[in-house]
Amino acid sequence: MLDSIWLKAAGIAAAVTLTTVTAANATPAPTPRTAESTAAVVTIRYDDSRAGGWEAAIAAGVASWNSNVDNVKLVEAAPGTRAEIQIVATSGWPQATLGPVRPGGQVRVELGSQAVTQGHDKTRIAAHEIGHSLGLPDTKPGPCSQLMSGSSAGTSCRNAVPNATEQSRVESFYANGFASRVPADGRVLVDAS
């Protein structure tokens, strides 16, 4: 009986010693990082090689989105590489596939000259159509302060900046480094007035 008590005590002592040694040599848990530093940025590439005459408007529209949304960045695709957003110039009304486009997916933006002929601003058109690719539907009719109000804001509207609600919606689609789990629905939104 004395031997069994001694063995039990020795076993407990060994377990305590092992736990103490393991704890002393353990790597401390990482310090939690702030939400801002852990937010993953989703990169979406665009190809505007078939959008002749729209280059400045596209660059300004892309810059507007990139400066107003933190977790998704639009970058021009290198020649010959696949792009998620295909941007082309057409003679009709602007239109785009409704996203949110995911990395590796593909949507199409058509920048129609018919809207420009009627007096609409090229940069607003480009930023608006890119907004569709990022998952935003039209908010027609709407004021000039809403980028997604499109042509309903009138030809005098030059606003190409998404408002706080539009920014927030796009950021929610790309939260945690992923585009929304809801795939792009494939609807083409034609922005005729």
Side-chain angles (χ1 to χ4, degrees):
M1 170 103 172
L2 197 54
D3 286 335
S4 72
I5 292 174
W6 183 85
L7 286 173
K8 229 183 221 183
I12 291 171
V16 168
T17 301
L18 183 57
T19 301
T20 304
V21 169
T22 303
N25 293 324
T27 304
T31 305
R33 296 167 59 184
T34 64
E36 185 177 310
S37 66
T38 59
V41 175
V42 176
T43 300
I44 302 294
R45 295 162 298 170
Y46 67 92
D47 175 5
D48 64 354
S49 63
R50 296 184 298 150
W54 286 85
E55 295 86 358
I58 293 166
V62 164
S64 178
W65 279 107
N66 283 343
S67 64
N68 287 289
V69 179
D70 294 324
N71 63 352
V72 60
K73 291 298 174 207
L74 300 164
V75 297
E76 189 169 2
T81 62
R82 191 174 195 292
E84 286 82 13
I85 302 174
Q86 295 291 318
I87 305 175
V88 299
T90 69
S91 60
W93 267 94
Q95 56 186 306
T97 310
L98 182 59
V101 64
R102 296 177 180 173
Q106 195 163 63
V107 295
R108 181 177 170 96
V109 167
E110 295 183 10
L111 300 175
S113 62
Q114 189 172 354
V116 177
T117 301
Q118 290 191 12
H120 293 281
D121 181 66
K122 277 183 148 182
T123 300
R124 180 173 169 83
I125 293 168
H128 174 91
E129 298 306 326
I130 291 168
H132 287 319
S133 297
L134 297 176
L136 297 177
D138 287 317
T139 55
K140 293 180 180 181
C144 184
S145 60
Q146 292 177 343
L147 175 60
M148 300 314 293
S149 68
S151 61
S152 72
T155 57
S156 64
C157 180
R158 302 283 186 253
N159 174 39
V161 178
N163 67 22
T165 300
E166 294 163 333
Q167 294 168 26
S168 177
R169 288 193 66 203
V170 168
E171 287 188 342
S172 73
F173 296 147
Y174 293 91
N176 302 316
F178 299 101
S180 170
R181 295 193 187 275
V182 178
D185 73 4
R187 283 188 294 160
V188 174
L189 303 177
V190 179
D191 289 306
S193 51

